[in-house]
Amino acid sequence: MKGNMLVMNKTRLFGTTCFAIAFAAIVSSCGDKTTRSTGWEFSRNMYDPIGYNPDQPNKNFTNGQTAQTPPDGTTPVGFERFDYPNTLEGYEAASVNVHNPLARSEKNLKEGAHLFQAFCSPCHGPEGHGDGTIVNMEKFPPPPSYATGNSSRGGLMKDLTDGKIYHTITYGLNLMGSHASQLSPEERWKVVMYVHELQKK
């Protein structure tokens, strides 16, 4: 008898639960069909963030800008400072004082070759002879060959040092723009390592 009562109570509870769920579904689907409301929104603040975008006006700062210039003397997280200015004097000083911190290895050379092909070869050519695809389309004049050319700053391209190559990648030179935003400092050093291989060819 008690077993039957228990089964009946469970059945009644199950039926009541199913009815409640169905009723809730019906009620929530009803409403004013003339509106274009999609119903309740989940996490509205995810669509309307409290934070400002960098280019938005911002009344919290006296100059009204969200993106602020970093204070003098500070270094952003993850940024590696290069203390040689974009001048001929800075270029020559880098030649004397700046040396590749990476060990020469097959792995670094292989990665340097890959980076060179992706970022440098369109102008410098796959072997560094100044015969890249952009040059062949006659869009730009050819840069000097690493093996046989003369640098526009004086001297032979085959004699360029670690510091001179790194300085040029960082700042650019003549028609070549800076690659500092495309290549991290470590990647630049791998390219420098590979350029030395091209100077021998």
Side-chain angles (χ1 to χ4, degrees), residues 64-99:
Q65 298 175 351
T66 296
Q68 298 292 306
T69 303
D72 291 339
T74 60
T75 302
V77 174
F79 179 82
E80 190 171 310
R81 189 175 295 280
F82 186 58
D83 292 323
Y84 296 86
N86 186 17
T87 61
L88 184 58
E89 292 76 21
Y91 174 78
E92 295 295 343
S95 176
V96 175
N97 301 314
V98 178
H99 305 284

PDB file of all heavy atoms in Angstrom, residues 64-99:
ATOM      1  N   GLY A  64      40.355  65.282 -22.438  1.00  0.00           N
ATOM      2  CA  GLY A  64      39.180  64.687 -23.066  1.00  0.00           C
ATOM      3  C   GLY A  64      39.446  63.448 -23.896  1.00  0.00           C
ATOM      4  O   GLY A  64      38.567  62.974 -24.614  1.00  0.00           O
ATOM      5  N   GLN A  65      40.642  62.883 -23.801  1.00  0.00           N
ATOM      6  CA  GLN A  65      41.001  61.705 -24.590  1.00  0.00           C
ATOM      7  C   GLN A  65      41.047  60.472 -23.703  1.00  0.00           C
ATOM      8  O   GLN A  65      41.406  60.557 -22.524  1.00  0.00           O
ATOM      9  CB  GLN A  65      42.377  61.886 -25.243  1.00  0.00           C
ATOM     10  CG  GLN A  65      42.454  63.049 -26.210  1.00  0.00           C
ATOM     11  CD  GLN A  65      43.868  63.249 -26.733  1.00  0.00           C
ATOM     12  OE1 GLN A  65      44.806  62.625 -26.254  1.00  0.00           O
ATOM     13  NE2 GLN A  65      44.018  64.124 -27.707  1.00  0.00           N
ATOM     14  N   THR A  66      40.709  59.318 -24.305  1.00  0.00           N
ATOM     15  CA  THR A  66      40.835  58.060 -23.566  1.00  0.00           C
ATOM     16  C   THR A  66      42.271  57.557 -23.623  1.00  0.00           C
ATOM     17  O   THR A  66      42.856  57.211 -22.603  1.00  0.00           O
ATOM     18  CB  THR A  66      39.887  56.996 -24.147  1.00  0.00           C
ATOM     19  OG1 THR A  66      38.543  57.442 -23.950  1.00  0.00           O
ATOM     20  CG2 THR A  66      40.067  55.659 -23.460  1.00  0.00           C
ATOM     21  N   ALA A  67      42.852  57.493 -24.829  1.00  0.00           N
ATOM     22  CA  ALA A  67      44.233  57.029 -24.985  1.00  0.00           C
ATOM     23  C   ALA A  67      45.179  58.137 -24.536  1.00  0.00           C
ATOM     24  O   ALA A  67      45.192  59.214 -25.126  1.00  0.00           O
ATOM     25  CB  ALA A  67      44.505  56.629 -26.430  1.00  0.00           C
ATOM     26  N   GLN A  68      45.938  57.875 -23.514  1.00  0.00           N
ATOM     27  CA  GLN A  68      46.846  58.864 -22.960  1.00  0.00           C
ATOM     28  C   GLN A  68      48.293  58.540 -23.330  1.00  0.00           C
ATOM     29  O   GLN A  68      48.667  57.377 -23.470  1.00  0.00           O
ATOM     30  CB  GLN A  68      46.720  58.903 -21.429  1.00  0.00           C
ATOM     31  CG  GLN A  68      45.346  59.300 -20.934  1.00  0.00           C
ATOM     32  CD  GLN A  68      45.032  60.748 -21.249  1.00  0.00           C
ATOM     33  OE1 GLN A  68      45.787  61.658 -20.904  1.00  0.00           O
ATOM     34  NE2 GLN A  68      43.904  60.967 -21.917  1.00  0.00           N
ATOM     35  N   THR A  69      49.096  59.565 -23.500  1.00  0.00           N
ATOM     36  CA  THR A  69      50.527  59.377 -23.747  1.00  0.00           C
ATOM     37  C   THR A  69      51.179  58.881 -22.464  1.00  0.00           C
ATOM     38  O   THR A  69      50.945  59.439 -21.389  1.00  0.00           O
ATOM     39  CB  THR A  69      51.171  60.706 -24.169  1.00  0.00           C
ATOM     40  OG1 THR A  69      50.492  61.203 -25.331  1.00  0.00           O
ATOM     41  CG2 THR A  69      52.642  60.518 -24.476  1.00  0.00           C
ATOM     42  N   PRO A  70      51.983  57.821 -22.545  1.00  0.00           N
ATOM     43  CA  PRO A  70      52.637  57.318 -21.331  1.00  0.00           C
ATOM     44  C   PRO A  70      53.522  58.387 -20.700  1.00  0.00           C
ATOM     45  O   PRO A  70      54.116  59.211 -21.403  1.00  0.00           O
ATOM     46  CB  PRO A  70      53.477  56.138 -21.830  1.00  0.00           C
ATOM     47  CG  PRO A  70      52.851  55.743 -23.131  1.00  0.00           C
ATOM     48  CD  PRO A  70      52.308  57.006 -23.724  1.00  0.00           C
ATOM     49  N   PRO A  71      53.637  58.392 -19.388  1.00  0.00           N
ATOM     50  CA  PRO A  71      54.511  59.366 -18.722  1.00  0.00           C
ATOM     51  C   PRO A  71      55.959  59.203 -19.176  1.00  0.00           C
ATOM     52  O   PRO A  71      56.392  58.110 -19.541  1.00  0.00           O
ATOM     53  CB  PRO A  71      54.369  59.010 -17.226  1.00  0.00           C
ATOM     54  CG  PRO A  71      53.082  58.262 -17.134  1.00  0.00           C
ATOM     55  CD  PRO A  71      52.916  57.555 -18.429  1.00  0.00           C
ATOM     56  N   ASP A  72      56.694  60.308 -19.163  1.00  0.00           N
ATOM     57  CA  ASP A  72      58.101  60.278 -19.568  1.00  0.00           C
ATOM     58  C   ASP A  72      58.882  59.289 -18.708  1.00  0.00           C
ATOM     59  O   ASP A  72      58.677  59.200 -17.496  1.00  0.00           O
ATOM     60  CB  ASP A  72      58.729  61.676 -19.425  1.00  0.00           C
ATOM     61  CG  ASP A  72      58.166  62.654 -20.453  1.00  0.00           C
ATOM     62  OD1 ASP A  72      57.629  62.183 -21.480  1.00  0.00           O
ATOM     63  OD2 ASP A  72      58.247  63.877 -20.217  1.00  0.00           O
ATOM     64  N   GLY A  73      59.775  58.573 -19.364  1.00  0.00           N
ATOM     65  CA  GLY A  73      60.655  57.649 -18.640  1.00  0.00           C
ATOM     66  C   GLY A  73      60.055  56.289 -18.365  1.00  0.00           C
ATOM     67  O   GLY A  73      60.710  55.440 -17.758  1.00  0.00           O
ATOM     68  N   THR A  74      58.810  56.050 -18.784  1.00  0.00           N
ATOM     69  CA  THR A  74      58.192  54.747 -18.533  1.00  0.00           C
ATOM     70  C   THR A  74      58.346  53.849 -19.757  1.00  0.00           C
ATOM     71  O   THR A  74      58.501  54.334 -20.872  1.00  0.00           O
ATOM     72  CB  THR A  74      56.701  54.891 -18.201  1.00  0.00           C
ATOM     73  OG1 THR A  74      56.027  55.520 -19.310  1.00  0.00           O
ATOM     74  CG2 THR A  74      56.492  55.730 -16.961  1.00  0.00           C
ATOM     75  N   THR A  75      58.296  52.557 -19.525  1.00  0.00           N
ATOM     76  CA  THR A  75      58.401  51.573 -20.595  1.00  0.00           C
ATOM     77  C   THR A  75      57.182  50.671 -20.543  1.00  0.00           C
ATOM     78  O   THR A  75      56.901  50.065 -19.507  1.00  0.00           O
ATOM     79  CB  THR A  75      59.675  50.723 -20.432  1.00  0.00           C
ATOM     80  OG1 THR A  75      60.817  51.588 -20.439  1.00  0.00           O
ATOM     81  CG2 THR A  75      59.811  49.719 -21.560  1.00  0.00           C
ATOM     82  N   PRO A  76      56.430  50.568 -21.632  1.00  0.00           N
ATOM     83  CA  PRO A  76      55.243  49.693 -21.626  1.00  0.00           C
ATOM     84  C   PRO A  76      55.615  48.243 -21.368  1.00  0.00           C
ATOM     85  O   PRO A  76      56.728  47.800 -21.699  1.00  0.00           O
ATOM     86  CB  PRO A  76      54.664  49.865 -23.035  1.00  0.00           C
ATOM     87  CG  PRO A  76      55.259  51.129 -23.556  1.00  0.00           C
ATOM     88  CD  PRO A  76      56.598  51.256 -22.910  1.00  0.00           C
ATOM     89  N   VAL A  77      54.695  47.504 -20.792  1.00  0.00           N
ATOM     90  CA  VAL A  77      54.909  46.086 -20.528  1.00  0.00           C
ATOM     91  C   VAL A  77      55.145  45.365 -21.853  1.00  0.00           C
ATOM     92  O   VAL A  77      54.413  45.552 -22.820  1.00  0.00           O
ATOM     93  CB  VAL A  77      53.689  45.481 -19.797  1.00  0.00           C
ATOM     94  CG1 VAL A  77      53.846  43.969 -19.658  1.00  0.00           C
ATOM     95  CG2 VAL A  77      53.506  46.122 -18.436  1.00  0.00           C
ATOM     96  N   GLY A  78      56.186  44.556 -21.910  1.00  0.00           N
ATOM     97  CA  GLY A  78      56.492  43.789 -23.116  1.00  0.00           C
ATOM     98  C   GLY A  78      57.279  44.556 -24.162  1.00  0.00           C
ATOM     99  O   GLY A  78      57.635  43.997 -25.191  1.00  0.00           O
ATOM    100  N   PHE A  79      57.567  45.849 -23.903  1.00  0.00           N
ATOM    101  CA  PHE A  79      58.304  46.659 -24.878  1.00  0.00           C
ATOM    102  C   PHE A  79      59.784  46.610 -24.548  1.00  0.00           C
ATOM    103  O   PHE A  79      60.183  46.730 -23.391  1.00  0.00           O
ATOM    104  CB  PHE A  79      57.810  48.104 -24.835  1.00  0.00           C
ATOM    105  CG  PHE A  79      58.524  49.023 -25.783  1.00  0.00           C
ATOM    106  CD1 PHE A  79      58.156  49.067 -27.120  1.00  0.00           C
ATOM    107  CD2 PHE A  79      59.557  49.837 -25.354  1.00  0.00           C
ATOM    108  CE1 PHE A  79      58.810  49.913 -28.005  1.00  0.00           C
ATOM    109  CE2 PHE A  79      60.215  50.683 -26.229  1.00  0.00           C
ATOM    110  CZ  PHE A  79      59.840  50.720 -27.562  1.00  0.00           C
ATOM    111  N   GLU A  80      60.607  46.433 -25.565  1.00  0.00           N
ATOM    112  CA  GLU A  80      62.050  46.402 -25.367  1.00  0.00           C
ATOM    113  C   GLU A  80      62.648  47.683 -25.930  1.00  0.00           C
ATOM    114  O   GLU A  80      62.540  47.962 -27.118  1.00  0.00           O
ATOM    115  CB  GLU A  80      62.645  45.173 -26.069  1.00  0.00           C
ATOM    116  CG  GLU A  80      64.094  44.938 -25.720  1.00  0.00           C
ATOM    117  CD  GLU A  80      64.592  43.605 -26.253  1.00  0.00           C
ATOM    118  OE1 GLU A  80      63.913  42.589 -26.025  1.00  0.00           O
ATOM    119  OE2 GLU A  80      65.657  43.595 -26.914  1.00  0.00           O
ATOM    120  N   ARG A  81      63.250  48.469 -25.075  1.00  0.00           N
ATOM    121  CA  ARG A  81      63.780  49.774 -25.474  1.00  0.00           C
ATOM    122  C   ARG A  81      65.048  49.624 -26.329  1.00  0.00           C
ATOM    123  O   ARG A  81      65.886  48.767 -26.063  1.00  0.00           O
ATOM    124  CB  ARG A  81      64.076  50.590 -24.217  1.00  0.00           C
ATOM    125  CG  ARG A  81      64.426  52.038 -24.492  1.00  0.00           C
ATOM    126  CD  ARG A  81      64.581  52.796 -23.188  1.00  0.00           C
ATOM    127  NE  ARG A  81      63.319  52.875 -22.466  1.00  0.00           N
ATOM    128  CZ  ARG A  81      62.361  53.742 -22.749  1.00  0.00           C
ATOM    129  NH1 ARG A  81      62.496  54.578 -23.749  1.00  0.00           N
ATOM    130  NH2 ARG A  81      61.262  53.767 -22.030  1.00  0.00           N
ATOM    131  N   PHE A  82      65.135  50.449 -27.361  1.00  0.00           N
ATOM    132  CA  PHE A  82      66.329  50.514 -28.211  1.00  0.00           C
ATOM    133  C   PHE A  82      66.869  51.928 -28.111  1.00  0.00           C
ATOM    134  O   PHE A  82      66.285  52.870 -28.653  1.00  0.00           O
ATOM    135  CB  PHE A  82      65.969  50.148 -29.655  1.00  0.00           C
ATOM    136  CG  PHE A  82      67.149  50.042 -30.578  1.00  0.00           C
ATOM    137  CD1 PHE A  82      68.177  49.153 -30.316  1.00  0.00           C
ATOM    138  CD2 PHE A  82      67.234  50.835 -31.714  1.00  0.00           C
ATOM    139  CE1 PHE A  82      69.267  49.053 -31.176  1.00  0.00           C
ATOM    140  CE2 PHE A  82      68.311  50.738 -32.584  1.00  0.00           C
ATOM    141  CZ  PHE A  82      69.329  49.841 -32.308  1.00  0.00           C
ATOM    142  N   ASP A  83      67.959  52.099 -27.402  1.00  0.00           N
ATOM    143  CA  ASP A  83      68.436  53.423 -27.023  1.00  0.00           C
ATOM    144  C   ASP A  83      69.363  54.077 -28.049  1.00  0.00           C
ATOM    145  O   ASP A  83      70.208  54.892 -27.697  1.00  0.00           O
ATOM    146  CB  ASP A  83      69.151  53.350 -25.665  1.00  0.00           C
ATOM    147  CG  ASP A  83      68.185  53.039 -24.537  1.00  0.00           C
ATOM    148  OD1 ASP A  83      67.050  53.541 -24.580  1.00  0.00           O
ATOM    149  OD2 ASP A  83      68.561  52.293 -23.624  1.00  0.00           O
ATOM    150  N   TYR A  84      69.185  53.745 -29.311  1.00  0.00           N
ATOM    151  CA  TYR A  84      69.989  54.355 -30.366  1.00  0.00           C
ATOM    152  C   TYR A  84      69.051  55.103 -31.300  1.00  0.00           C
ATOM    153  O   TYR A  84      68.190  54.495 -31.928  1.00  0.00           O
ATOM    154  CB  TYR A  84      70.800  53.287 -31.112  1.00  0.00           C
ATOM    155  CG  TYR A  84      71.800  52.611 -30.211  1.00  0.00           C
ATOM    156  CD1 TYR A  84      71.427  51.521 -29.426  1.00  0.00           C
ATOM    157  CD2 TYR A  84      73.103  53.090 -30.102  1.00  0.00           C
ATOM    158  CE1 TYR A  84      72.337  50.924 -28.569  1.00  0.00           C
ATOM    159  CE2 TYR A  84      74.019  52.493 -29.254  1.00  0.00           C
ATOM    160  CZ  TYR A  84      73.625  51.408 -28.490  1.00  0.00           C
ATOM    161  OH  TYR A  84      74.526  50.823 -27.634  1.00  0.00           O
ATOM    162  N   PRO A  85      69.190  56.427 -31.396  1.00  0.00           N
ATOM    163  CA  PRO A  85      68.228  57.222 -32.164  1.00  0.00           C
ATOM    164  C   PRO A  85      68.304  56.944 -33.664  1.00  0.00           C
ATOM    165  O   PRO A  85      69.293  56.389 -34.164  1.00  0.00           O
ATOM    166  CB  PRO A  85      68.636  58.668 -31.850  1.00  0.00           C
ATOM    167  CG  PRO A  85      70.083  58.576 -31.484  1.00  0.00           C
ATOM    168  CD  PRO A  85      70.256  57.252 -30.803  1.00  0.00           C
ATOM    169  N   ASN A  86      67.275  57.374 -34.363  1.00  0.00           N
ATOM    170  CA  ASN A  86      67.197  57.194 -35.809  1.00  0.00           C
ATOM    171  C   ASN A  86      67.980  58.304 -36.508  1.00  0.00           C
ATOM    172  O   ASN A  86      67.426  59.158 -37.202  1.00  0.00           O
ATOM    173  CB  ASN A  86      65.732  57.192 -36.254  1.00  0.00           C
ATOM    174  CG  ASN A  86      65.582  56.856 -37.725  1.00  0.00           C
ATOM    175  OD1 ASN A  86      66.491  56.332 -38.346  1.00  0.00           O
ATOM    176  ND2 ASN A  86      64.430  57.174 -38.286  1.00  0.00           N
ATOM    177  N   THR A  87      69.268  58.286 -36.288  1.00  0.00           N
ATOM    178  CA  THR A  87      70.188  59.248 -36.909  1.00  0.00           C
ATOM    179  C   THR A  87      71.410  58.482 -37.401  1.00  0.00           C
ATOM    180  O   THR A  87      71.620  57.312 -37.043  1.00  0.00           O
ATOM    181  CB  THR A  87      70.654  60.307 -35.888  1.00  0.00           C
ATOM    182  OG1 THR A  87      71.355  59.634 -34.820  1.00  0.00           O
ATOM    183  CG2 THR A  87      69.468  61.079 -35.305  1.00  0.00           C
ATOM    184  N   LEU A  88      72.230  59.138 -38.208  1.00  0.00           N
ATOM    185  CA  LEU A  88      73.459  58.493 -38.673  1.00  0.00           C
ATOM    186  C   LEU A  88      74.374  58.190 -37.491  1.00  0.00           C
ATOM    187  O   LEU A  88      75.035  57.144 -37.451  1.00  0.00           O
ATOM    188  CB  LEU A  88      74.165  59.382 -39.700  1.00  0.00           C
ATOM    189  CG  LEU A  88      75.430  58.798 -40.348  1.00  0.00           C
ATOM    190  CD1 LEU A  88      75.129  57.474 -41.041  1.00  0.00           C
ATOM    191  CD2 LEU A  88      76.053  59.800 -41.315  1.00  0.00           C
ATOM    192  N   GLU A  89      74.380  59.103 -36.507  1.00  0.00           N
ATOM    193  CA  GLU A  89      75.202  58.877 -35.315  1.00  0.00           C
ATOM    194  C   GLU A  89      74.692  57.660 -34.529  1.00  0.00           C
ATOM    195  O   GLU A  89      75.485  56.846 -34.035  1.00  0.00           O
ATOM    196  CB  GLU A  89      75.192  60.120 -34.416  1.00  0.00           C
ATOM    197  CG  GLU A  89      75.900  61.342 -35.004  1.00  0.00           C
ATOM    198  CD  GLU A  89      75.089  62.050 -36.082  1.00  0.00           C
ATOM    199  OE1 GLU A  89      73.848  61.876 -36.115  1.00  0.00           O
ATOM    200  OE2 GLU A  89      75.694  62.773 -36.900  1.00  0.00           O
ATOM    201  N   GLY A  90      73.357  57.552 -34.413  1.00  0.00           N
ATOM    202  CA  GLY A  90      72.777  56.398 -33.730  1.00  0.00           C
ATOM    203  C   GLY A  90      73.069  55.106 -34.468  1.00  0.00           C
ATOM    204  O   GLY A  90      73.328  54.063 -33.854  1.00  0.00           O
ATOM    205  N   TYR A  91      73.043  55.166 -35.794  1.00  0.00           N
ATOM    206  CA  TYR A  91      73.342  54.013 -36.640  1.00  0.00           C
ATOM    207  C   TYR A  91      74.777  53.544 -36.430  1.00  0.00           C
ATOM    208  O   TYR A  91      75.041  52.352 -36.244  1.00  0.00           O
ATOM    209  CB  TYR A  91      73.092  54.431 -38.093  1.00  0.00           C
ATOM    210  CG  TYR A  91      73.456  53.447 -39.159  1.00  0.00           C
ATOM    211  CD1 TYR A  91      72.638  52.357 -39.437  1.00  0.00           C
ATOM    212  CD2 TYR A  91      74.594  53.644 -39.944  1.00  0.00           C
ATOM    213  CE1 TYR A  91      72.956  51.467 -40.457  1.00  0.00           C
ATOM    214  CE2 TYR A  91      74.915  52.765 -40.969  1.00  0.00           C
ATOM    215  CZ  TYR A  91      74.097  51.672 -41.222  1.00  0.00           C
ATOM    216  OH  TYR A  91      74.410  50.808 -42.234  1.00  0.00           O
ATOM    217  N   GLU A  92      75.720  54.502 -36.425  1.00  0.00           N
ATOM    218  CA  GLU A  92      77.132  54.152 -36.235  1.00  0.00           C
ATOM    219  C   GLU A  92      77.396  53.660 -34.816  1.00  0.00           C
ATOM    220  O   GLU A  92      78.181  52.727 -34.606  1.00  0.00           O
ATOM    221  CB  GLU A  92      78.025  55.355 -36.554  1.00  0.00           C
ATOM    222  CG  GLU A  92      78.000  55.798 -38.008  1.00  0.00           C
ATOM    223  CD  GLU A  92      78.567  54.752 -38.969  1.00  0.00           C
ATOM    224  OE1 GLU A  92      79.271  53.820 -38.513  1.00  0.00           O
ATOM    225  OE2 GLU A  92      78.293  54.858 -40.175  1.00  0.00           O
ATOM    226  N   ALA A  93      76.727  54.257 -33.834  1.00  0.00           N
ATOM    227  CA  ALA A  93      76.904  53.810 -32.450  1.00  0.00           C
ATOM    228  C   ALA A  93      76.361  52.398 -32.265  1.00  0.00           C
ATOM    229  O   ALA A  93      76.963  51.568 -31.571  1.00  0.00           O
ATOM    230  CB  ALA A  93      76.207  54.776 -31.495  1.00  0.00           C
ATOM    231  N   ALA A  94      75.231  52.107 -32.903  1.00  0.00           N
ATOM    232  CA  ALA A  94      74.664  50.753 -32.821  1.00  0.00           C
ATOM    233  C   ALA A  94      75.612  49.747 -33.459  1.00  0.00           C
ATOM    234  O   ALA A  94      75.738  48.614 -32.987  1.00  0.00           O
ATOM    235  CB  ALA A  94      73.302  50.716 -33.510  1.00  0.00           C
ATOM    236  N   SER A  95      76.309  50.163 -34.519  1.00  0.00           N
ATOM    237  CA  SER A  95      77.249  49.272 -35.190  1.00  0.00           C
ATOM    238  C   SER A  95      78.351  48.802 -34.251  1.00  0.00           C
ATOM    239  O   SER A  95      78.772  47.650 -34.287  1.00  0.00           O
ATOM    240  CB  SER A  95      77.867  49.984 -36.390  1.00  0.00           C
ATOM    241  OG  SER A  95      78.855  49.183 -36.998  1.00  0.00           O
ATOM    242  N   VAL A  96      78.780  49.709 -33.375  1.00  0.00           N
ATOM    243  CA  VAL A  96      79.888  49.395 -32.465  1.00  0.00           C
ATOM    244  C   VAL A  96      79.405  48.664 -31.216  1.00  0.00           C
ATOM    245  O   VAL A  96      80.052  47.715 -30.752  1.00  0.00           O
ATOM    246  CB  VAL A  96      80.617  50.699 -32.062  1.00  0.00           C
ATOM    247  CG1 VAL A  96      81.696  50.419 -31.017  1.00  0.00           C
ATOM    248  CG2 VAL A  96      81.217  51.379 -33.286  1.00  0.00           C
ATOM    249  N   ASN A  97      78.255  49.080 -30.690  1.00  0.00           N
ATOM    250  CA  ASN A  97      77.844  48.621 -29.359  1.00  0.00           C
ATOM    251  C   ASN A  97      76.778  47.534 -29.323  1.00  0.00           C
ATOM    252  O   ASN A  97      76.570  46.917 -28.274  1.00  0.00           O
ATOM    253  CB  ASN A  97      77.333  49.823 -28.549  1.00  0.00           C
ATOM    254  CG  ASN A  97      78.387  50.888 -28.390  1.00  0.00           C
ATOM    255  OD1 ASN A  97      79.530  50.598 -28.077  1.00  0.00           O
ATOM    256  ND2 ASN A  97      78.007  52.140 -28.636  1.00  0.00           N
ATOM    257  N   VAL A  98      76.063  47.321 -30.420  1.00  0.00           N
ATOM    258  CA  VAL A  98      74.939  46.388 -30.393  1.00  0.00           C
ATOM    259  C   VAL A  98      75.326  45.097 -31.105  1.00  0.00           C
ATOM    260  O   VAL A  98      75.789  45.116 -32.245  1.00  0.00           O
ATOM    261  CB  VAL A  98      73.690  47.013 -31.075  1.00  0.00           C
ATOM    262  CG1 VAL A  98      72.534  46.036 -31.092  1.00  0.00           C
ATOM    263  CG2 VAL A  98      73.285  48.296 -30.362  1.00  0.00           C
ATOM    264  N   HIS A  99      75.125  43.981 -30.403  1.00  0.00           N
ATOM    265  CA  HIS A  99      75.472  42.674 -30.944  1.00  0.00           C
ATOM    266  C   HIS A  99      74.307  41.713 -30.738  1.00  0.00           C
ATOM    267  O   HIS A  99      73.547  41.836 -29.777  1.00  0.00           O
ATOM    268  CB  HIS A  99      76.738  42.130 -30.275  1.00  0.00           C
ATOM    269  CG  HIS A  99      77.902  43.068 -30.363  1.00  0.00           C
ATOM    270  ND1 HIS A  99      78.637  43.236 -31.517  1.00  0.00           N
ATOM    271  CD2 HIS A  99      78.435  43.923 -29.451  1.00  0.00           C
ATOM    272  CE1 HIS A  99      79.584  44.130 -31.314  1.00  0.00           C
ATOM    273  NE2 HIS A  99      79.482  44.578 -30.063  1.00  0.00           N
TER     274      HIS A  99
END
